[in-house]
Amino acid sequence: MTLFTNIASCVTVAANGATSKTGAAMQDIGEIRNGAVLFDETIRWVGSADDVDAAIDALGLDPADIDVMDLTGKTVLPGFVDSHTHMVHAGSRADEFAQRLRGVPYTQIAAEGGGILTTMRAVREASVETLVEVGERLATSALQHGTTTIEMKSGYGLTLESELRMLEAIGVLRAEHEARIVATFMGAHDVPPEYRHASDDYVQLIIDTMLPAVQRQGIATYCDAFPDKGFFTVDQAERVFRAAQALGLRGRVHADEIANIGASAMAARLGLASADHLEFTTREDVLAMRDANVVCTLLPGTAYTLRLPYPDARMMIDEGAVVALATDCNPGSCLTENMQLVMSLACTNMAMSTEEAIVASTLHGAAALAMADRVGSIEVGKDADIVVYDVPSYADIIYHFGVNHVWSVWVGGEEVA
Ligand code: NIG
Ligand code: FE
């Protein structure tokens, strides 16, 4: 049993049994000044440091069995839940980054066979060990920056064999890494060159062959797709999602990133777990997603890197949608694993408050992965995924940006970084 006490700023993000806090409730992060948390694998008690002795008594615990850590001057938050990453990949696209800085658009690079297909070529050549190594490095760095749960997608293989290899690598990380890892199959990330003029045939391959293999092997929880201008049509993505749903794989989607071709409207229609990006999403789309319980996941690091217009987070929050933040960590459109930085981008460029950014990065990330009953807040009974920051207030994590404020990281009650 461990006790954190005298915590200057103990941010619980308490939701009292709910899996999200929407609208004005997003302002309430359940901060306890001079707080304390008592935990083993799960949170046993959280409250004011003044009430610790009484709580230990009431729980019938022997104080001799408790490791006490004095966190005077420090801040505690639930671990971040990064619900959208492509951390498992291979190769570098630093040269494409340089091209874009010279003014070549992302879509032109993609249309000329670069972009996702550049990474695809590297991934097809890579062994499972290499893929694990790349993912491990980024996941460890993410953990060191305060992220305790990470979703990871396939989608850079685009053949049955290489997509399964990516999911195998994610599976190795799931088993061995200290962070909690969730796997998503994303065969419909881009049309591979073999099917360049026959994208429907590729979609059919996903439906007839890839999805059943993924389901048989039990190596993914979610299915993702990229219906957007120059990639898949909404109709193709819908076929993939319907097939996935029939096999018990829930959908999450890359929506309205380059253009609004109806992807987020489809997310609402199909009741997907989450629609992500949403740079070109309309109010009508947002209302439909809100009413269908689709989490709106915003990736401001991608808007920053690709110099896209930022999603209208204010409108989404004010309309009562469940808004989450994630990194999109990938070699092309956003290479960061740092959720502290993502919060800073969200506050500065999308007019989110520091409190909204914290809820979006913890509880709502968990909601996007349907894990909010276990992680995303510091509440009795939840997993003890807790991060300590070497600052006296949560606002400092965002205000003082571009550096890592993490002091220690705990997953399931164990110190891991
Ligand atoms: O989320 N939009 C599609 N997929 C990724 C980019 C992947 C890449 O460029 O490698 C994204 O932005
Ligand atoms: Fe992505």
Side-chain angles (χ1 to χ4, degrees), residues 96 112-126 156 193:
E96 290 183 3
E112 289 168 358
I116 292 170
L117 299 183
T118 301
T119 304
M120 177 206 76
R121 286 185 285 274
V123 163
R124 286 183 179 181
E125 300 272 286
Y156 288 122

Side-chain angles (χ1 to χ4, degrees), residues 84 86 93 106 116 119 156 189 226 254 257 277 302 328 330-333:
H84 182 141
H86 309 254
R93 304 220 317 255
Y106 180 83
I116 292 170
T119 304
Y156 288 122
H189 195 188
F226 187 23
H254 285 62
E257 178 185 4
H277 281 290
T302 306
D328 196 17
N330 77 77
S333 66

Side-chain angles (χ1 to χ4, degrees), residues 160 164 207-220 247 249:
L160 172 66
L164 291 178
I207 293 169
D208 293 342
T209 310
M210 293 189 188
L211 274 170
V214 168
Q215 191 249 3
R216 236 185 348 264
Q217 298 190 21
I219 48 180
L247 293 171
L249 288 168

